[in-house]
Amino acid sequence: MPYQTINPASNKLIKSWPDHSDSQIEQALATADALYHSDWSKGAIQPRLQVLKKMADLIDSRVDELAEAASIEMGKLIEQSRGEVQLCAQIARYYAENAERFLAPTSYPSELGEAWVENHPIGVLVAVEPWNFPFYQLMRVLAPNLAAGNPVMAKHAKNVPHCAVLFESLVKEAGAPDGAWTNIFASNDQVANLIADDRVQGAALTGSERAGSSVAQQAGKYLKKTTLELGGNDVFVVLDDSDLDKAVKAGVGARLSNCGQVCTAAKRFLVHEKVADRFLEKMTEAFKAVKIGDPLDASTTLGPLSSADARDTLDKQVQQAKAKGAKIVLGGAPVPGEGCFYQPTILTGITRDNPAYFEEFFGPVAQIYVVKNDDEVVELANDSHYGLGGSVFTKDIARGKALASRIETGMVYINSATNTSAELPFGGVKRSGYGRELSDLGIKEFVNQKLVVIS
Ligand code: NDP
């Protein structure tokens, strides 16, 4: 598949983008590697932080333009695209203001002498990124690594090339030298070759298990470090003592935001039997009230899926779930006509032998499970290959905290949907991947934490 801008709301091709040749990629790698060996990477941090600060200001001044590009390429509601763009400015500013402190040397009291750990860049990184947050996914890699001094070669998903190019030009306009961030329209083979190259020291990937496994295998073969942020099958737990209206509102948002294409979206709703009927009724009403349409129209509340493939894959999963015994309470089909729209869908009656029980549904499809007690919540939540995020709704915070500590995921939110913010670590366990992005943890993933001891 070529790099193409196709508007998923109309399924019309807007522009094709040429692939980069092997020699273009070699040239880009040589430039990035030279930058790593220069004062830019090895010298003072301030010039790099200035670029991040400028980038935050540039993004803030272009929210509408950037948001529109994202909505056109992958179908996100325009208001949500604006939110994504603003979050990018926050992340850039956060690292501009905090990276120096995060990377400062840390003392280690020791009998062997005066000891400390310094943080140094490690070299060129490869980033492989998905389309669901076409700017935020890039910023999560750029901001910490630009601050740390690691040049990045970024391979974006095939359906968001315009966002990839806009992002690269913002980094340049903010004053970063050539090689600090290079967008490459590369094939998977070209990415594999880059990872094998001695000048590359690590790879960060967000995407599917299939892509993560392939990149991690190649990196493992050549002994390069990776971070992986893969899928999720997050639970959204509604206990009998929760504020039901608050839980329904948050749950609907957590399932339908970005048309359900979020790794940390609420995918499995575990609802206590005492409130299950009322929850289902309220959620069904809310799903029925959704206005499907053009993501650029501010009155639309559910846009298209990102591509025809995404819609068809989701529909196959829903039909298979039904064939294996699930009940479709609402929806369960693509919206007829142009564009990659799918009806908001609610499934119940999913048993453990139904493939839907373990699969991630990347779209507006909610699975509802009725639970009797907190032990059953934990059993169901942890009976998953994934371990990314999760939410627990309860008025009893001690009960919520106890559940949070028993759920095997990288993140748990009590009384809100799983969220993200520059200062909070983001990442998972099990097949949701490993490593953390954002916060002080994210900036330490690809630095040489070098020990120095004076005896
Ligand atoms: P992919 O994982 O295929 O795409 C994500 C990125 O990985 C893209 O840049 C893609 O490139 C690249 N990629 C894929 N295979 C390889 C490979 N072998 N080597 C190097 N790079 C590779 O996601 P899809 O778009 O196909 O979505 C499929 C499913 O993945 C979703 O239904 C969802 O379950 C999950 N997903 C999870 C995301 C998350 O946020 N955690 C985000 C997106 C998807 P290219 O576009 O060229 O294929």
Side-chain angles (χ1 to χ4, degrees), residues 3 128-132 137 155-159 186 188 191 205-211 214-215 229-231 262-263 360 362:
Y3 284 84
V128 178
E129 300 301 325
W131 41 264
N132 58 344
Q137 303 281 14
K155 181 247 174 284
H156 217 331
K158 293 252 170 65
N159 56 340
N188 293 343
V191 168
L205 178 138
T206 297
S208 61
E209 285 175 69
R210 182 183 49 83
S214 165
V215 162
E229 203 269 276
L230 310 176
V262 184
C263 49
E360 177 182 35
F362 222 54

PDB file of all heavy atoms in Angstrom, residues 3 128-132 137 155-159 186 188 191 205-211 214-215 229-231 262-263 360 362, ligand 1:
ATOM      1  N   TYR A   3       1.728   5.429   0.534  1.00  0.00           N
ATOM      2  CA  TYR A   3       1.336   6.477   1.491  1.00  0.00           C
ATOM      3  C   TYR A   3       0.298   7.352   0.783  1.00  0.00           C
ATOM      4  O   TYR A   3       0.585   7.952  -0.253  1.00  0.00           O
ATOM      5  CB  TYR A   3       2.559   7.300   1.898  1.00  0.00           C
ATOM      6  CG  TYR A   3       3.444   6.572   2.878  1.00  0.00           C
ATOM      7  CD1 TYR A   3       4.397   5.652   2.433  1.00  0.00           C
ATOM      8  CD2 TYR A   3       3.325   6.781   4.245  1.00  0.00           C
ATOM      9  CE1 TYR A   3       5.200   4.961   3.331  1.00  0.00           C
ATOM     10  CE2 TYR A   3       4.127   6.100   5.152  1.00  0.00           C
ATOM     11  CZ  TYR A   3       5.057   5.194   4.690  1.00  0.00           C
ATOM     12  OH  TYR A   3       5.846   4.503   5.585  1.00  0.00           O
ATOM     13  N   VAL A 128       8.209   4.000  14.958  1.00  0.00           N
ATOM     14  CA  VAL A 128       7.160   3.495  14.056  1.00  0.00           C
ATOM     15  C   VAL A 128       5.831   3.823  14.721  1.00  0.00           C
ATOM     16  O   VAL A 128       5.576   3.390  15.850  1.00  0.00           O
ATOM     17  CB  VAL A 128       7.300   1.976  13.845  1.00  0.00           C
ATOM     18  CG1 VAL A 128       6.177   1.462  12.946  1.00  0.00           C
ATOM     19  CG2 VAL A 128       8.660   1.642  13.249  1.00  0.00           C
ATOM     20  N   GLU A 129       5.011   4.605  14.053  1.00  0.00           N
ATOM     21  CA  GLU A 129       3.848   5.182  14.739  1.00  0.00           C
ATOM     22  C   GLU A 129       2.537   4.949  13.983  1.00  0.00           C
ATOM     23  O   GLU A 129       2.535   4.803  12.761  1.00  0.00           O
ATOM     24  CB  GLU A 129       4.083   6.686  14.951  1.00  0.00           C
ATOM     25  CG  GLU A 129       5.318   6.985  15.796  1.00  0.00           C
ATOM     26  CD  GLU A 129       5.280   6.352  17.194  1.00  0.00           C
ATOM     27  OE1 GLU A 129       4.197   6.258  17.800  1.00  0.00           O
ATOM     28  OE2 GLU A 129       6.355   5.943  17.693  1.00  0.00           O
ATOM     29  N   PRO A 130       1.417   4.939  14.710  1.00  0.00           N
ATOM     30  CA  PRO A 130       0.118   4.659  14.092  1.00  0.00           C
ATOM     31  C   PRO A 130      -0.680   5.933  13.806  1.00  0.00           C
ATOM     32  O   PRO A 130      -0.301   7.026  14.215  1.00  0.00           O
ATOM     33  CB  PRO A 130      -0.567   3.828  15.180  1.00  0.00           C
ATOM     34  CG  PRO A 130      -0.111   4.477  16.451  1.00  0.00           C
ATOM     35  CD  PRO A 130       1.282   5.014  16.193  1.00  0.00           C
ATOM     36  N   TRP A 131      -1.820   5.728  13.196  1.00  0.00           N
ATOM     37  CA  TRP A 131      -2.648   6.810  12.679  1.00  0.00           C
ATOM     38  C   TRP A 131      -3.667   7.331  13.681  1.00  0.00           C
ATOM     39  O   TRP A 131      -4.291   8.350  13.448  1.00  0.00           O
ATOM     40  CB  TRP A 131      -3.410   6.282  11.451  1.00  0.00           C
ATOM     41  CG  TRP A 131      -3.906   4.877  11.710  1.00  0.00           C
ATOM     42  CD1 TRP A 131      -3.295   3.721  11.338  1.00  0.00           C
ATOM     43  CD2 TRP A 131      -5.058   4.486  12.465  1.00  0.00           C
ATOM     44  NE1 TRP A 131      -3.993   2.629  11.815  1.00  0.00           N
ATOM     45  CE2 TRP A 131      -5.089   3.077  12.511  1.00  0.00           C
ATOM     46  CE3 TRP A 131      -6.079   5.189  13.123  1.00  0.00           C
ATOM     47  CZ2 TRP A 131      -6.081   2.358  13.176  1.00  0.00           C
ATOM     48  CZ3 TRP A 131      -7.066   4.477  13.782  1.00  0.00           C
ATOM     49  CH2 TRP A 131      -7.050   3.073  13.797  1.00  0.00           C
ATOM     50  N   ASN A 132      -3.894   6.650  14.805  1.00  0.00           N
ATOM     51  CA  ASN A 132      -5.075   7.008  15.620  1.00  0.00           C
ATOM     52  C   ASN A 132      -4.925   8.355  16.325  1.00  0.00           C
ATOM     53  O   ASN A 132      -5.914   9.031  16.570  1.00  0.00           O
ATOM     54  CB  ASN A 132      -5.481   5.883  16.580  1.00  0.00           C
ATOM     55  CG  ASN A 132      -4.384   5.489  17.535  1.00  0.00           C
ATOM     56  OD1 ASN A 132      -3.223   5.825  17.332  1.00  0.00           O
ATOM     57  ND2 ASN A 132      -4.739   4.767  18.576  1.00  0.00           N
ATOM     58  N   GLN A 137       1.050  10.852  18.886  1.00  0.00           N
ATOM     59  CA  GLN A 137       1.959   9.697  18.908  1.00  0.00           C
ATOM     60  C   GLN A 137       3.380  10.137  18.562  1.00  0.00           C
ATOM     61  O   GLN A 137       4.356   9.600  19.106  1.00  0.00           O
ATOM     62  CB  GLN A 137       1.502   8.621  17.903  1.00  0.00           C
ATOM     63  CG  GLN A 137       0.086   8.105  18.114  1.00  0.00           C
ATOM     64  CD  GLN A 137      -0.044   7.079  19.224  1.00  0.00           C
ATOM     65  OE1 GLN A 137       0.863   6.907  20.025  1.00  0.00           O
ATOM     66  NE2 GLN A 137      -1.178   6.408  19.286  1.00  0.00           N
ATOM     67  N   LYS A 155       8.825   6.722  11.065  1.00  0.00           N
ATOM     68  CA  LYS A 155       7.993   6.118  10.007  1.00  0.00           C
ATOM     69  C   LYS A 155       6.538   6.122  10.498  1.00  0.00           C
ATOM     70  O   LYS A 155       6.169   5.399  11.425  1.00  0.00           O
ATOM     71  CB  LYS A 155       8.448   4.668   9.756  1.00  0.00           C
ATOM     72  CG  LYS A 155       7.669   3.963   8.672  1.00  0.00           C
ATOM     73  CD  LYS A 155       6.834   2.834   9.251  1.00  0.00           C
ATOM     74  CE  LYS A 155       5.924   2.201   8.237  1.00  0.00           C
ATOM     75  NZ  LYS A 155       4.741   3.030   7.942  1.00  0.00           N
ATOM     76  N   HIS A 156       5.740   6.974   9.878  1.00  0.00           N
ATOM     77  CA  HIS A 156       4.340   7.093  10.286  1.00  0.00           C
ATOM     78  C   HIS A 156       3.497   6.077   9.505  1.00  0.00           C
ATOM     79  O   HIS A 156       3.966   5.453   8.546  1.00  0.00           O
ATOM     80  CB  HIS A 156       3.848   8.519  10.027  1.00  0.00           C
ATOM     81  CG  HIS A 156       2.897   9.026  11.074  1.00  0.00           C
ATOM     82  ND1 HIS A 156       2.072   8.181  11.789  1.00  0.00           N
ATOM     83  CD2 HIS A 156       2.615  10.286  11.527  1.00  0.00           C
ATOM     84  CE1 HIS A 156       1.342   8.897  12.635  1.00  0.00           C
ATOM     85  NE2 HIS A 156       1.654  10.179  12.504  1.00  0.00           N
ATOM     86  N   ALA A 157       2.226   5.934   9.924  1.00  0.00           N
ATOM     87  CA  ALA A 157       1.327   5.001   9.228  1.00  0.00           C
ATOM     88  C   ALA A 157       1.008   5.519   7.823  1.00  0.00           C
ATOM     89  O   ALA A 157       1.012   6.727   7.581  1.00  0.00           O
ATOM     90  CB  ALA A 157       0.049   4.821  10.034  1.00  0.00           C
ATOM     91  N   LYS A 158       0.669   4.579   6.931  1.00  0.00           N
ATOM     92  CA  LYS A 158       0.498   4.923   5.508  1.00  0.00           C
ATOM     93  C   LYS A 158      -0.665   5.877   5.244  1.00  0.00           C
ATOM     94  O   LYS A 158      -0.703   6.530   4.198  1.00  0.00           O
ATOM     95  CB  LYS A 158       0.249   3.625   4.722  1.00  0.00           C
ATOM     96  CG  LYS A 158       1.451   2.686   4.701  1.00  0.00           C
ATOM     97  CD  LYS A 158       2.082   2.684   3.334  1.00  0.00           C
ATOM     98  CE  LYS A 158       3.411   1.965   3.280  1.00  0.00           C
ATOM     99  NZ  LYS A 158       3.342   0.534   3.536  1.00  0.00           N
ATOM    100  N   ASN A 159      -1.642   5.931   6.177  1.00  0.00           N
ATOM    101  CA  ASN A 159      -2.830   6.745   5.896  1.00  0.00           C
ATOM    102  C   ASN A 159      -2.784   8.156   6.506  1.00  0.00           C
ATOM    103  O   ASN A 159      -3.778   8.868   6.417  1.00  0.00           O
ATOM    104  CB  ASN A 159      -4.110   6.015   6.370  1.00  0.00           C
ATOM    105  CG  ASN A 159      -4.049   5.642   7.844  1.00  0.00           C
ATOM    106  OD1 ASN A 159      -2.966   5.576   8.417  1.00  0.00           O
ATOM    107  ND2 ASN A 159      -5.188   5.385   8.450  1.00  0.00           N
ATOM    108  N   ALA A 186       8.741   5.092   4.511  1.00  0.00           N
ATOM    109  CA  ALA A 186       9.526   3.856   4.334  1.00  0.00           C
ATOM    110  C   ALA A 186       8.617   2.631   4.309  1.00  0.00           C
ATOM    111  O   ALA A 186       7.503   2.651   4.845  1.00  0.00           O
ATOM    112  CB  ALA A 186      10.510   3.725   5.503  1.00  0.00           C
ATOM    113  N   ASN A 188       8.171  -1.534   5.349  1.00  0.00           N
ATOM    114  CA  ASN A 188       8.554  -2.305   6.539  1.00  0.00           C
ATOM    115  C   ASN A 188       9.966  -2.877   6.389  1.00  0.00           C
ATOM    116  O   ASN A 188      10.711  -2.982   7.367  1.00  0.00           O
ATOM    117  CB  ASN A 188       7.548  -3.424   6.810  1.00  0.00           C
ATOM    118  CG  ASN A 188       6.187  -2.869   7.215  1.00  0.00           C
ATOM    119  OD1 ASN A 188       6.075  -1.698   7.587  1.00  0.00           O
ATOM    120  ND2 ASN A 188       5.160  -3.682   7.129  1.00  0.00           N
ATOM    121  N   VAL A 191      12.420  -0.231   7.190  1.00  0.00           N
ATOM    122  CA  VAL A 191      12.488  -0.035   8.645  1.00  0.00           C
ATOM    123  C   VAL A 191      13.361  -1.133   9.265  1.00  0.00           C
ATOM    124  O   VAL A 191      14.213  -0.861  10.126  1.00  0.00           O
ATOM    125  CB  VAL A 191      11.070  -0.041   9.266  1.00  0.00           C
ATOM    126  CG1 VAL A 191      11.133  -0.124  10.790  1.00  0.00           C
ATOM    127  CG2 VAL A 191      10.307   1.211   8.848  1.00  0.00           C
ATOM    128  N   LEU A 205       7.842   1.782  19.174  1.00  0.00           N
ATOM    129  CA  LEU A 205       6.699   1.506  18.289  1.00  0.00           C
ATOM    130  C   LEU A 205       5.394   1.594  19.066  1.00  0.00           C
ATOM    131  O   LEU A 205       5.292   1.108  20.177  1.00  0.00           O
ATOM    132  CB  LEU A 205       6.816   0.105  17.684  1.00  0.00           C
ATOM    133  CG  LEU A 205       5.636  -0.307  16.778  1.00  0.00           C
ATOM    134  CD1 LEU A 205       6.106  -1.032  15.522  1.00  0.00           C
ATOM    135  CD2 LEU A 205       4.591  -1.150  17.506  1.00  0.00           C
ATOM    136  N   THR A 206       4.411   2.219  18.434  1.00  0.00           N
ATOM    137  CA  THR A 206       3.029   2.131  18.905  1.00  0.00           C
ATOM    138  C   THR A 206       2.223   1.552  17.757  1.00  0.00           C
ATOM    139  O   THR A 206       2.333   2.008  16.619  1.00  0.00           O
ATOM    140  CB  THR A 206       2.475   3.514  19.293  1.00  0.00           C
ATOM    141  OG1 THR A 206       3.241   4.022  20.377  1.00  0.00           O
ATOM    142  CG2 THR A 206       1.022   3.420  19.730  1.00  0.00           C
ATOM    143  N   GLY A 207       1.424   0.526  18.053  1.00  0.00           N
ATOM    144  CA  GLY A 207       0.635  -0.097  16.992  1.00  0.00           C
ATOM    145  C   GLY A 207       0.126  -1.448  17.422  1.00  0.00           C
ATOM    146  O   GLY A 207      -0.073  -1.710  18.608  1.00  0.00           O
ATOM    147  N   SER A 208      -0.051  -2.315  16.426  1.00  0.00           N
ATOM    148  CA  SER A 208      -0.629  -3.640  16.680  1.00  0.00           C
ATOM    149  C   SER A 208       0.419  -4.592  17.259  1.00  0.00           C
ATOM    150  O   SER A 208       1.627  -4.341  17.171  1.00  0.00           O
ATOM    151  CB  SER A 208      -1.167  -4.220  15.374  1.00  0.00           C
ATOM    152  OG  SER A 208      -0.101  -4.360  14.467  1.00  0.00           O
ATOM    153  N   GLU A 209      -0.043  -5.710  17.792  1.00  0.00           N
ATOM    154  CA  GLU A 209       0.878  -6.749  18.276  1.00  0.00           C
ATOM    155  C   GLU A 209       1.760  -7.259  17.135  1.00  0.00           C
ATOM    156  O   GLU A 209       2.942  -7.525  17.326  1.00  0.00           O
ATOM    157  CB  GLU A 209       0.083  -7.944  18.797  1.00  0.00           C
ATOM    158  CG  GLU A 209      -0.554  -7.725  20.128  1.00  0.00           C
ATOM    159  CD  GLU A 209      -1.408  -8.927  20.487  1.00  0.00           C
ATOM    160  OE1 GLU A 209      -0.855 -10.005  20.747  1.00  0.00           O
ATOM    161  OE2 GLU A 209      -2.640  -8.776  20.473  1.00  0.00           O
ATOM    162  N   ARG A 210       1.118  -7.409  15.973  1.00  0.00           N
ATOM    163  CA  ARG A 210       1.849  -7.937  14.806  1.00  0.00           C
ATOM    164  C   ARG A 210       3.042  -7.025  14.475  1.00  0.00           C
ATOM    165  O   ARG A 210       4.183  -7.484  14.320  1.00  0.00           O
ATOM    166  CB  ARG A 210       0.869  -8.011  13.621  1.00  0.00           C
ATOM    167  CG  ARG A 210       1.399  -8.568  12.328  1.00  0.00           C
ATOM    168  CD  ARG A 210       0.324  -8.489  11.240  1.00  0.00           C
ATOM    169  NE  ARG A 210      -0.314  -7.178  11.155  1.00  0.00           N
ATOM    170  CZ  ARG A 210       0.181  -6.151  10.502  1.00  0.00           C
ATOM    171  NH1 ARG A 210       1.320  -6.253   9.858  1.00  0.00           N
ATOM    172  NH2 ARG A 210      -0.442  -4.993  10.486  1.00  0.00           N
ATOM    173  N   ALA A 211       2.781  -5.718  14.407  1.00  0.00           N
ATOM    174  CA  ALA A 211       3.854  -4.770  14.085  1.00  0.00           C
ATOM    175  C   ALA A 211       4.889  -4.743  15.217  1.00  0.00           C
ATOM    176  O   ALA A 211       6.102  -4.744  14.971  1.00  0.00           O
ATOM    177  CB  ALA A 211       3.273  -3.372  13.874  1.00  0.00           C
ATOM    178  N   SER A 214       7.116  -7.795  15.174  1.00  0.00           N
ATOM    179  CA  SER A 214       8.061  -7.787  14.057  1.00  0.00           C
ATOM    180  C   SER A 214       9.241  -6.833  14.334  1.00  0.00           C
ATOM    181  O   SER A 214      10.416  -7.190  14.151  1.00  0.00           O
ATOM    182  CB  SER A 214       7.280  -7.397  12.793  1.00  0.00           C
ATOM    183  OG  SER A 214       8.120  -7.040  11.791  1.00  0.00           O
ATOM    184  N   VAL A 215       8.921  -5.636  14.815  1.00  0.00           N
ATOM    185  CA  VAL A 215       9.980  -4.654  15.101  1.00  0.00           C
ATOM    186  C   VAL A 215      10.842  -5.130  16.280  1.00  0.00           C
ATOM    187  O   VAL A 215      12.072  -5.024  16.254  1.00  0.00           O
ATOM    188  CB  VAL A 215       9.348  -3.259  15.348  1.00  0.00           C
ATOM    189  CG1 VAL A 215      10.305  -2.314  16.054  1.00  0.00           C
ATOM    190  CG2 VAL A 215       8.896  -2.655  14.022  1.00  0.00           C
ATOM    191  N   GLU A 229       4.188   0.093  22.607  1.00  0.00           N
ATOM    192  CA  GLU A 229       2.881   0.463  23.145  1.00  0.00           C
ATOM    193  C   GLU A 229       1.874  -0.135  22.178  1.00  0.00           C
ATOM    194  O   GLU A 229       1.703   0.356  21.064  1.00  0.00           O
ATOM    195  CB  GLU A 229       2.801   1.991  23.230  1.00  0.00           C
ATOM    196  CG  GLU A 229       1.791   2.451  24.238  1.00  0.00           C
ATOM    197  CD  GLU A 229       0.439   2.633  23.606  1.00  0.00           C
ATOM    198  OE1 GLU A 229       0.195   3.687  23.047  1.00  0.00           O
ATOM    199  OE2 GLU A 229      -0.359   1.672  23.674  1.00  0.00           O
ATOM    200  N   LEU A 230       1.268  -1.247  22.601  1.00  0.00           N
ATOM    201  CA  LEU A 230       0.451  -2.025  21.651  1.00  0.00           C
ATOM    202  C   LEU A 230      -1.034  -1.903  21.995  1.00  0.00           C
ATOM    203  O   LEU A 230      -1.454  -0.885  22.486  1.00  0.00           O
ATOM    204  CB  LEU A 230       0.936  -3.474  21.648  1.00  0.00           C
ATOM    205  CG  LEU A 230       2.465  -3.606  21.461  1.00  0.00           C
ATOM    206  CD1 LEU A 230       2.905  -5.054  21.565  1.00  0.00           C
ATOM    207  CD2 LEU A 230       2.918  -2.997  20.142  1.00  0.00           C
ATOM    208  N   GLY A 231      -1.785  -2.935  21.728  1.00  0.00           N
ATOM    209  CA  GLY A 231      -3.228  -2.822  21.930  1.00  0.00           C
ATOM    210  C   GLY A 231      -3.626  -2.931  23.382  1.00  0.00           C
ATOM    211  O   GLY A 231      -2.800  -3.069  24.287  1.00  0.00           O
ATOM    212  N   VAL A 262      -8.857   3.793  20.152  1.00  0.00           N
ATOM    213  CA  VAL A 262      -7.901   4.248  21.160  1.00  0.00           C
ATOM    214  C   VAL A 262      -7.402   3.008  21.884  1.00  0.00           C
ATOM    215  O   VAL A 262      -8.196   2.150  22.276  1.00  0.00           O
ATOM    216  CB  VAL A 262      -8.568   5.216  22.173  1.00  0.00           C
ATOM    217  CG1 VAL A 262      -7.538   5.762  23.152  1.00  0.00           C
ATOM    218  CG2 VAL A 262      -9.277   6.349  21.454  1.00  0.00           C
ATOM    219  N   CYS A 263      -6.088   2.918  22.064  1.00  0.00           N
ATOM    220  CA  CYS A 263      -5.554   1.721  22.736  1.00  0.00           C
ATOM    221  C   CYS A 263      -6.106   1.589  24.143  1.00  0.00           C
ATOM    222  O   CYS A 263      -6.379   0.490  24.614  1.00  0.00           O
ATOM    223  CB  CYS A 263      -4.034   1.742  22.725  1.00  0.00           C
ATOM    224  SG  CYS A 263      -3.349   3.302  23.263  1.00  0.00           S
ATOM    225  N   GLU A 360      -9.325  -7.454  20.782  1.00  0.00           N
ATOM    226  CA  GLU A 360      -9.501  -6.005  20.880  1.00  0.00           C
ATOM    227  C   GLU A 360     -10.409  -5.555  19.733  1.00  0.00           C
ATOM    228  O   GLU A 360     -10.133  -5.862  18.571  1.00  0.00           O
ATOM    229  CB  GLU A 360      -8.137  -5.310  20.754  1.00  0.00           C
ATOM    230  CG  GLU A 360      -8.248  -3.801  20.777  1.00  0.00           C
ATOM    231  CD  GLU A 360      -6.899  -3.092  20.596  1.00  0.00           C
ATOM    232  OE1 GLU A 360      -6.049  -3.608  19.846  1.00  0.00           O
ATOM    233  OE2 GLU A 360      -6.714  -2.033  21.193  1.00  0.00           O
ATOM    234  N   PHE A 362     -11.331  -2.463  17.743  1.00  0.00           N
ATOM    235  CA  PHE A 362     -10.830  -1.100  17.548  1.00  0.00           C
ATOM    236  C   PHE A 362     -11.890  -0.285  16.809  1.00  0.00           C
ATOM    237  O   PHE A 362     -11.763   0.011  15.621  1.00  0.00           O
ATOM    238  CB  PHE A 362      -9.517  -1.155  16.763  1.00  0.00           C
ATOM    239  CG  PHE A 362      -8.455  -0.206  17.286  1.00  0.00           C
ATOM    240  CD1 PHE A 362      -8.071  -0.219  18.610  1.00  0.00           C
ATOM    241  CD2 PHE A 362      -7.824   0.702  16.437  1.00  0.00           C
ATOM    242  CE1 PHE A 362      -7.092   0.638  19.097  1.00  0.00           C
ATOM    243  CE2 PHE A 362      -6.842   1.568  16.901  1.00  0.00           C
ATOM    244  CZ  PHE A 362      -6.476   1.532  18.244  1.00  0.00           C
TER     245      PHE A 362
HETATM  246  P1  NDP B   1      -0.305  -1.426  12.548  1.00  0.00           P
HETATM  247  O1  NDP B   1       0.288  -1.909  13.778  1.00  0.00           O
HETATM  248  O2  NDP B   1      -0.189  -2.270  11.339  1.00  0.00           O
HETATM  249  O3  NDP B   1       0.302   0.020  12.204  1.00  0.00           O
HETATM  250  C1  NDP B   1       1.015   0.818  13.134  1.00  0.00           C
HETATM  251  C2  NDP B   1       2.351   1.209  12.532  1.00  0.00           C
HETATM  252  O4  NDP B   1       3.182   0.057  12.440  1.00  0.00           O
HETATM  253  C3  NDP B   1       2.240   1.759  11.115  1.00  0.00           C
HETATM  254  O5  NDP B   1       3.203   2.779  10.932  1.00  0.00           O
HETATM  255  C4  NDP B   1       2.580   0.542  10.278  1.00  0.00           C
HETATM  256  O6  NDP B   1       3.041   0.851   9.019  1.00  0.00           O
HETATM  257  C5  NDP B   1       3.666  -0.074  11.096  1.00  0.00           C
HETATM  258  N1  NDP B   1       3.951  -1.472  10.832  1.00  0.00           N
HETATM  259  C6  NDP B   1       3.084  -2.487  10.642  1.00  0.00           C
HETATM  260  N2  NDP B   1       3.747  -3.641  10.454  1.00  0.00           N
HETATM  261  C7  NDP B   1       5.074  -3.352  10.520  1.00  0.00           C
HETATM  262  C8  NDP B   1       6.268  -4.116  10.382  1.00  0.00           C
HETATM  263  N3  NDP B   1       6.239  -5.417  10.147  1.00  0.00           N
HETATM  264  N4  NDP B   1       7.454  -3.468  10.487  1.00  0.00           N
HETATM  265  C9  NDP B   1       7.500  -2.156  10.704  1.00  0.00           C
HETATM  266  N5  NDP B   1       6.396  -1.381  10.827  1.00  0.00           N
HETATM  267  C10 NDP B   1       5.207  -1.968  10.744  1.00  0.00           C
HETATM  268  O7  NDP B   1      -1.806  -1.055  12.859  1.00  0.00           O
HETATM  269  P2  NDP B   1      -3.061  -1.085  11.871  1.00  0.00           P
HETATM  270  O8  NDP B   1      -3.220   0.264  11.336  1.00  0.00           O
HETATM  271  O9  NDP B   1      -3.012  -2.195  10.895  1.00  0.00           O
HETATM  272  O10 NDP B   1      -4.192  -1.425  12.947  1.00  0.00           O
HETATM  273  C11 NDP B   1      -4.452  -2.766  13.285  1.00  0.00           C
HETATM  274  C12 NDP B   1      -4.725  -2.929  14.751  1.00  0.00           C
HETATM  275  O11 NDP B   1      -3.610  -2.489  15.512  1.00  0.00           O
HETATM  276  C13 NDP B   1      -5.861  -2.111  15.288  1.00  0.00           C
HETATM  277  O12 NDP B   1      -7.086  -2.696  15.003  1.00  0.00           O
HETATM  278  C14 NDP B   1      -5.516  -2.060  16.753  1.00  0.00           C
HETATM  279  O13 NDP B   1      -5.899  -3.251  17.351  1.00  0.00           O
HETATM  280  C15 NDP B   1      -4.011  -1.979  16.757  1.00  0.00           C
HETATM  281  N6  NDP B   1      -3.528  -0.586  16.876  1.00  0.00           N
HETATM  282  C16 NDP B   1      -3.191  -0.129  18.097  1.00  0.00           C
HETATM  283  C17 NDP B   1      -2.803   1.174  18.251  1.00  0.00           C
HETATM  284  C18 NDP B   1      -2.435   1.727  19.576  1.00  0.00           C
HETATM  285  O14 NDP B   1      -2.594   2.928  19.811  1.00  0.00           O
HETATM  286  N7  NDP B   1      -1.868   0.926  20.463  1.00  0.00           N
HETATM  287  C19 NDP B   1      -2.759   2.107  17.137  1.00  0.00           C
HETATM  288  C20 NDP B   1      -3.088   1.509  15.870  1.00  0.00           C
HETATM  289  C21 NDP B   1      -3.458   0.211  15.783  1.00  0.00           C
HETATM  290  P3  NDP B   1       2.112   0.735   7.719  1.00  0.00           P
HETATM  291  O15 NDP B   1       1.066   1.797   7.857  1.00  0.00           O
HETATM  292  O16 NDP B   1       3.079   0.994   6.643  1.00  0.00           O
HETATM  293  O17 NDP B   1       1.565  -0.653   7.740  1.00  0.00           O
END
